[in-house]
Amino acid sequence: MRRNSGFTLVELIVVIVILGILAVTAAPKFMNLQGDAKAASLKGVQAALNSAKSLAYGKALVKGIEKSATGTINNGTDNLDIVYGYPKANIATLTKVLDLDLTDTATGDYFGKAGTVDGTDAVTIYVHNGSTDGYDDSCSVTYKQATDANTAAKVTLDTTGC
């Protein structure tokens, strides 16, 4: 008697169903890789801003201008405007601090938008999203400048829309 080897139709259907279930549960994890990359990139910008403000404050402290409403320090290649010991919240200063082009809204990787947050000068840095408006409001890092000698500059990260 000859014995057939192979899979039955039921076994094949069970395997296909199991693969389908695995695909449905695993696919969402891999679908948002671009959003995860944008969020990770902004976390890097946040860390760079925190380091830059600490270094700037240290230089301002050594120079004795940490309590002044205005001042200037040198970062090795450029002069940086300082407010109460921290970098001033404007595009020009943060471009120098981060060594990023924050002005190219059409094709750049990042760009900055100056404004105010709670009445304080601030710059919000976005990752370019490839669209015509260039950014998503809820995928950004915001640098808020110091308001007085007792209040440090603040860096906040929003990745809810990445």
Side-chain angles (χ1 to χ4, degrees):
M1 190 182 242
R2 198 170 134 204
R3 182 173 165 120
N4 289 337
S5 62
F7 298 109
T8 66
L9 183 60
V10 172
E11 290 172 327
L12 289 174
I13 290 173
V14 168
V15 168
I16 290 170
V17 168
I18 290 171
L19 289 175
I21 291 169
L22 288 174
V24 168
T25 58
K29 178 67 178 163
F30 299 108
M31 296 305 255
N32 195 21
L33 292 179
Q34 186 177 24
D36 292 345
K38 286 180 183 180
S41 176
L42 285 175
K43 286 178 184 177
V45 171
Q46 178 190 27
L49 277 170
N50 280 323
S51 295
K53 74 178 188 141
S54 295
L55 289 169
Y57 190 80
K59 283 190 170 198
L61 195 63
V62 168
K63 197 172 176 182
I65 60 170
E66 78 279 2
K67 298 210 184 281
S68 299
T70 60
T72 304
I73 62 169
N74 189 285
N75 72 348
T77 56
D78 291 308
N79 287 328
L80 301 177
D81 294 328
I82 299 297
V83 176
Y84 296 111
Y86 297 98
K88 184 174 179 65
N90 63 34
I91 301 295
T93 300
L94 293 187
T95 296
K96 292 175 189 176
V97 164
L98 295 174
D99 195 24
L100 291 175
D101 181 10
L102 299 176
T103 60
D104 188 356
T105 60
T107 59
D109 293 330
Y110 302 94
F111 69 97
K113 187 175 174 185
T116 59
V117 173
D118 301 327
T120 302
D121 288 343
V123 172
T124 302
I125 299 171
Y126 304 93
V127 177
H128 199 279
N129 68 5
S131 70
T132 54
D133 65 359
Y135 65 91
D136 297 314
D137 283 331
S138 56
C139 186
S140 62
V141 174
T142 301
Y143 175 81
K144 189 171 142 184
Q145 86 181 17
T147 54
D148 57 51
N150 298 317
T151 306
K154 187 181 283 188
V155 180
T156 55
L157 175 67
D158 182 5
T159 59
T160 57
C162 291

